[in-house]
Amino acid sequence: MIIITKPNITDDELDHLRERIEAAGLHTHLSRGEHRTIIGCIGDETRLAELPLRSIPGVESVMPVLKPYKLASREFVVNRTIVRIGEEASIGGGQLTVIAGPCSVENRAMLHATAAGVRLAGATILRGGAFKPRSSPYSFQGLGREALQLLAEARAEHGLPVVTEVLDTRDVDLVAEHSDMLQVGARNMQNYALLAELGRVQRPVLLKRGLSATISELLMSAEYIMAHGNHNVVLCERGIRTFERATRNTLDVSAIPVLQRETHLPVIVDPSHAGGDAKLVAPLAFAAIAAGADGLIIEVHPNPEVALSDGDQSLDIPSFAALMQRIPAFAAAAGRTMSPRAVLRGVAVA
Ligand code: PEP
Ligand code: MN
């Protein structure tokens, strides 16, 4: 249930209103917009039945939230959420953010070469897998702790915040300590124990859509993290499994405007895992921006031919730089700006 307050509600009235709701055993979530304030009520709403909410001073209207996801829903929060990553990067709020880096951190040299290359090309967040969710137990599983150390070093040296995947509830604190954003991979989107654990930490979470997950299931997974206390969630469309075999997955372009309609959380797109082919990264990235994405996450490797994972879909550094030069025109057409830091590093302004 949400309560919309009168524009002239006083702080005392607001406090009193929240106290009444909390005394009934529910939690309140305050969302202040320019013109109105919304109080979201979380918990057993039947307990509010006895409360004459509409007669409490400052209340304008009371409305049910019909969606099963509440904290993630646009009804619940007035303004779109901007998620801050590290000291200077952010996702959401009208800018287009580009995250780039290798699928897996393979060694120090390749990570530094990639970090330097993507930074110069205008990426503002570095990605790199330490714990890899591979389909085969015989494939490279990532360097684990050593990769976390290398990522932390790369962050310090190149000034880029880092995002890396966490696979196991037992590693949440360790990964949070070494990174600026924690990624939940497609295969773990419905690992509710992991989502609950991520609700406990205050690091932003990049939540990737499951291979066969509906949009509503993706939002319910975001709700899990939020319900456990962490509201810094960014959603990622990374392609879903369909009957089509010409591409690794099928990029669900429609999910972008649908998510933007349903949630206040930022929505980014991973064209690398969607298409599974370096040649498809640029067209899918452009489509994502045109459909309203807040950002992109792109796999880049200094020499994709020898990559230990996802080489086929990884861009080399010159191809990534060339793509970055073309992005501002699409961003401008979709009403988004590039981050000033990206522009500073030579990304063209459309
Ligand atoms: C990745 O980002 O490297 C990855 C494994 O992605 P996904 O979980 O979307 O397959
Ligand atoms: Mn990958």
Side-chain angles (χ1 to χ4, degrees):
M1 176 183 293
I2 56 172
I3 298 168
I4 300 167
T5 65
K6 293 191 170 137
N8 56 356
I9 188 170
T10 66
D11 287 346
D12 285 346
E13 286 171 338
L14 199 56
D15 289 345
H16 173 69
L17 178 56
R18 292 182 80 176
E19 276 163 23
R20 292 294 308 266
I21 299 164
E22 284 165 12
L26 284 87
H27 294 290
T28 58
H29 178 269
L30 197 67
S31 172
R32 280 182 198 270
E34 207 179 316
H35 303 294
R36 57 180 196 155
T37 295
I38 288 178
I39 301 175
C41 306
I42 308 142
D44 180 2
E45 291 182 7
T46 57
R47 291 179 176 214
L48 293 178
E50 303 291 298
L51 210 58
L53 281 169
R54 285 177 187 79
S55 65
I56 298 178
V59 172
E60 184 160 286
S61 57
V62 178
M63 292 197 316
V65 176
L66 300 174
K67 310 279 183 193
Y69 38 89
K70 303 196 185 300
L71 297 169
S73 121
R74 266 193 90 184
E75 294 164 36
F76 223 78
V77 171
V78 182
N79 300 315
R80 286 191 178 277
T81 294
I82 299 176
V83 176
R84 305 222 149 273
I85 319 292
E87 305 277 303
E88 292 175 28
S90 61
I91 306 179
Q95 282 185 5
L96 189 91
T97 302
V98 181
I99 305 172
C103 177
S104 307
V105 174
E106 298 171 4
N107 56 58
R108 177 179 281 119
M110 68 78 74
L111 183 62
H112 282 266
T114 314
V118 301
R119 179 181 180 278
L120 205 64
T124 53
I125 302 171
L126 177 67
R127 64 150 288 153
F131 297 98
K132 294 305 298 179
R134 304 308 299 282
S135 303
S136 164
Y138 308 117
S139 303
F140 176 59
Q141 305 286 309
L143 296 181
R145 275 173 182 268
E146 187 190 340
L148 293 178
Q149 207 61 52
L150 294 174
L151 282 166
E153 245 179 51
R155 165 177 57 181
E157 189 160 325
H158 301 277
L160 289 176
V162 302
V163 54
T164 193
E165 180 164 351
V166 59
L167 286 180
D168 191 316
T169 47
R170 291 168 297 187
D171 294 331
V172 167
D173 288 331
L174 175 75
V175 178
E177 202 183 302
H178 290 83
S179 64
D180 302 283
M181 183 180 216
L182 297 151
Q183 178 173 321
V184 176
R187 290 153 194 82
N188 262 324
M189 190 205 84
Q190 286 176 310
N191 179 341
Y192 299 116
L194 182 62
L195 301 178
E197 201 59 24
L198 289 167
R200 213 180 32 77
V201 294
Q202 285 311 311
R203 281 265 184 271
V205 175
L206 176 59
L207 179 64
K208 297 187 89 174
R209 182 177 180 184
L211 279 75
S212 307
T214 63
I215 292 172
S216 168
E217 287 165 341
L218 171 61
L219 288 165
M220 287 311 287
S221 290
E223 189 78 13
Y224 251 90
I225 302 168
M226 299 171 88
H228 283 86
N230 185 353
H231 288 233
N232 296 308
V233 180
V234 174
L235 305 172
C236 180
E237 161 59 38
R238 45 77 74 203
I240 49 174
R241 184 162 286 184
T242 67
F243 55 82
E244 182 55 68
R245 298 265 58 89
T247 50
R248 181 175 179 181
N249 293 291
T250 299
L251 179 65
D252 182 6
V253 178
S254 332
I256 306 159
V258 171
L259 285 168
Q260 295 287 21
R261 181 190 73 205
E262 293 295 310
T263 181
H264 55 89
L265 299 172
V267 178
I268 70 164
V269 169
D270 177 344
S272 309
H273 289 86
D277 178 347
K279 292 197 175 55
L280 295 176
V281 171
L284 296 183
F286 300 150
I289 300 168
D294 294 297
L296 299 166
I297 178 164
I298 297 176
E299 286 188 339
V300 179
H301 192 286
N303 185 3
E305 202 183 305
V306 300
L308 297 179
S309 60
D310 287 347
D312 287 343
Q313 67 196 34
S314 298
L315 297 180
D316 60 17
I317 293 165
S319 312
F320 175 70
L323 168 62
M324 287 299 286
Q325 290 301 319
R326 296 182 64 195
I327 281 180
F330 289 91
R336 306 215 179 253
T337 54
M338 300 303 293
S339 95
R341 285 168 74 79
V343 174
L344 262 179
R345 293 187 200 128
V347 171
V349 181

